[in-house]
PDB file of all heavy atoms in Angstrom:
ATOM      1  N   ILE X 842     111.292  32.383  32.991  1.00  0.00           N
ATOM      2  CA  ILE X 842     112.289  32.699  31.957  1.00  0.00           C
ATOM      3  C   ILE X 842     113.506  33.404  32.581  1.00  0.00           C
ATOM      4  O   ILE X 842     114.659  33.132  32.196  1.00  0.00           O
ATOM      5  CB  ILE X 842     111.622  33.532  30.820  1.00  0.00           C
ATOM      6  CG1 ILE X 842     110.611  32.657  30.052  1.00  0.00           C
ATOM      7  CG2 ILE X 842     112.662  34.139  29.873  1.00  0.00           C
ATOM      8  CD1 ILE X 842     111.206  31.441  29.343  1.00  0.00           C
ATOM      9  N   LYS X 843     113.273  34.244  33.582  1.00  0.00           N
ATOM     10  CA  LYS X 843     114.372  34.909  34.293  1.00  0.00           C
ATOM     11  C   LYS X 843     115.265  33.867  34.983  1.00  0.00           C
ATOM     12  O   LYS X 843     116.483  33.900  34.875  1.00  0.00           O
ATOM     13  CB  LYS X 843     113.766  35.879  35.328  1.00  0.00           C
ATOM     14  CG  LYS X 843     114.655  37.036  35.723  1.00  0.00           C
ATOM     15  CD  LYS X 843     113.867  38.006  36.582  1.00  0.00           C
ATOM     16  CE  LYS X 843     114.644  38.425  37.821  1.00  0.00           C
ATOM     17  NZ  LYS X 843     113.841  39.178  38.799  1.00  0.00           N
ATOM     18  N   GLU X 844     114.597  32.941  35.657  1.00  0.00           N
ATOM     19  CA  GLU X 844     115.343  31.861  36.338  1.00  0.00           C
ATOM     20  C   GLU X 844     116.107  30.997  35.330  1.00  0.00           C
ATOM     21  O   GLU X 844     117.258  30.625  35.553  1.00  0.00           O
ATOM     22  CB  GLU X 844     114.378  30.940  37.098  1.00  0.00           C
ATOM     23  CG  GLU X 844     113.817  31.530  38.371  1.00  0.00           C
ATOM     24  CD  GLU X 844     114.880  31.797  39.428  1.00  0.00           C
ATOM     25  OE1 GLU X 844     115.598  30.841  39.808  1.00  0.00           O
ATOM     26  OE2 GLU X 844     115.010  32.946  39.867  1.00  0.00           O
ATOM     27  N   ALA X 845     115.447  30.693  34.220  1.00  0.00           N
ATOM     28  CA  ALA X 845     116.091  29.842  33.211  1.00  0.00           C
ATOM     29  C   ALA X 845     117.358  30.490  32.660  1.00  0.00           C
ATOM     30  O   ALA X 845     118.388  29.818  32.527  1.00  0.00           O
ATOM     31  CB  ALA X 845     115.083  29.580  32.064  1.00  0.00           C
ATOM     32  N   LYS X 846     117.266  31.789  32.380  1.00  0.00           N
ATOM     33  CA  LYS X 846     118.451  32.490  31.865  1.00  0.00           C
ATOM     34  C   LYS X 846     119.585  32.502  32.857  1.00  0.00           C
ATOM     35  O   LYS X 846     120.749  32.488  32.494  1.00  0.00           O
ATOM     36  CB  LYS X 846     118.083  33.930  31.482  1.00  0.00           C
ATOM     37  CG  LYS X 846     117.233  34.017  30.203  1.00  0.00           C
ATOM     38  CD  LYS X 846     116.841  35.473  29.892  1.00  0.00           C
ATOM     39  CE  LYS X 846     116.082  35.538  28.573  1.00  0.00           C
ATOM     40  NZ  LYS X 846     115.565  36.903  28.327  1.00  0.00           N
ATOM     41  N   LYS X 847     119.224  32.530  34.170  1.00  0.00           N
ATOM     42  CA  LYS X 847     120.230  32.564  35.221  1.00  0.00           C
ATOM     43  C   LYS X 847     120.789  31.152  35.461  1.00  0.00           C
ATOM     44  O   LYS X 847     122.024  30.972  35.549  1.00  0.00           O
ATOM     45  CB  LYS X 847     119.538  33.074  36.504  1.00  0.00           C
ATOM     46  CG  LYS X 847     120.487  33.581  37.573  1.00  0.00           C
ATOM     47  CD  LYS X 847     119.730  34.382  38.642  1.00  0.00           C
ATOM     48  CE  LYS X 847     118.904  33.453  39.551  1.00  0.00           C
ATOM     49  NZ  LYS X 847     118.023  34.212  40.481  1.00  0.00           N
ATOM     50  N   LEU X 848     119.915  30.152  35.542  1.00  0.00           N
ATOM     51  CA  LEU X 848     120.327  28.801  35.947  1.00  0.00           C
ATOM     52  C   LEU X 848     120.835  27.957  34.791  1.00  0.00           C
ATOM     53  O   LEU X 848     121.713  27.097  34.987  1.00  0.00           O
ATOM     54  CB  LEU X 848     119.142  28.055  36.603  1.00  0.00           C
ATOM     55  CG  LEU X 848     118.597  28.626  37.906  1.00  0.00           C
ATOM     56  CD1 LEU X 848     117.306  27.887  38.319  1.00  0.00           C
ATOM     57  CD2 LEU X 848     119.639  28.500  39.027  1.00  0.00           C
ATOM     58  N   ASN X 849     120.260  28.131  33.602  1.00  0.00           N
ATOM     59  CA  ASN X 849     120.605  27.234  32.489  1.00  0.00           C
ATOM     60  C   ASN X 849     120.856  28.013  31.194  1.00  0.00           C
ATOM     61  O   ASN X 849     120.245  27.765  30.151  1.00  0.00           O
ATOM     62  CB  ASN X 849     119.448  26.228  32.268  1.00  0.00           C
ATOM     63  CG  ASN X 849     119.346  25.266  33.406  1.00  0.00           C
ATOM     64  OD1 ASN X 849     120.283  24.482  33.662  1.00  0.00           O
ATOM     65  ND2 ASN X 849     118.227  25.290  34.122  1.00  0.00           N
ATOM     66  N   PRO X 850     121.835  28.949  31.258  1.00  0.00           N
ATOM     67  CA  PRO X 850     122.096  29.759  30.070  1.00  0.00           C
ATOM     68  C   PRO X 850     122.904  28.968  29.030  1.00  0.00           C
ATOM     69  O   PRO X 850     123.599  28.014  29.369  1.00  0.00           O
ATOM     70  CB  PRO X 850     122.938  30.883  30.644  1.00  0.00           C
ATOM     71  CG  PRO X 850     123.706  30.274  31.780  1.00  0.00           C
ATOM     72  CD  PRO X 850     122.750  29.236  32.374  1.00  0.00           C
ATOM     73  N   SER X 851     122.762  29.363  27.788  1.00  0.00           N
ATOM     74  CA  SER X 851     123.562  28.793  26.693  1.00  0.00           C
ATOM     75  C   SER X 851     123.394  29.689  25.469  1.00  0.00           C
ATOM     76  O   SER X 851     122.265  30.183  25.210  1.00  0.00           O
ATOM     77  CB  SER X 851     123.100  27.385  26.340  1.00  0.00           C
ATOM     78  OG  SER X 851     123.615  27.032  25.061  1.00  0.00           O
ATOM     79  N   PRO X 852     124.450  29.948  24.723  1.00  0.00           N
ATOM     80  CA  PRO X 852     124.298  30.722  23.490  1.00  0.00           C
ATOM     81  C   PRO X 852     123.440  30.009  22.450  1.00  0.00           C
ATOM     82  O   PRO X 852     122.954  30.613  21.507  1.00  0.00           O
ATOM     83  CB  PRO X 852     125.742  30.882  22.990  1.00  0.00           C
ATOM     84  CG  PRO X 852     126.523  29.816  23.664  1.00  0.00           C
ATOM     85  CD  PRO X 852     125.856  29.548  24.957  1.00  0.00           C
ATOM     86  N   LYS X 853     123.249  28.699  22.676  1.00  0.00           N
ATOM     87  CA  LYS X 853     122.428  27.915  21.739  1.00  0.00           C
ATOM     88  C   LYS X 853     120.946  27.840  22.151  1.00  0.00           C
ATOM     89  O   LYS X 853     120.156  27.126  21.536  1.00  0.00           O
ATOM     90  CB  LYS X 853     122.985  26.485  21.638  1.00  0.00           C
ATOM     91  CG  LYS X 853     124.364  26.430  20.983  1.00  0.00           C
ATOM     92  CD  LYS X 853     124.853  24.992  20.927  1.00  0.00           C
ATOM     93  CE  LYS X 853     126.181  24.901  20.163  1.00  0.00           C
ATOM     94  NZ  LYS X 853     126.698  23.538  20.169  1.00  0.00           N
TER      95      LYS X 853
END
Side-chain angles (χ1 to χ4, degrees):
Chain X
I842 292 298
K843 205 172 134 190
E844 286 295 303
K846 286 178 176 173
K847 198 166 73 188
L848 296 171
N849 292 298
S851 163
K853 293 180 175 177

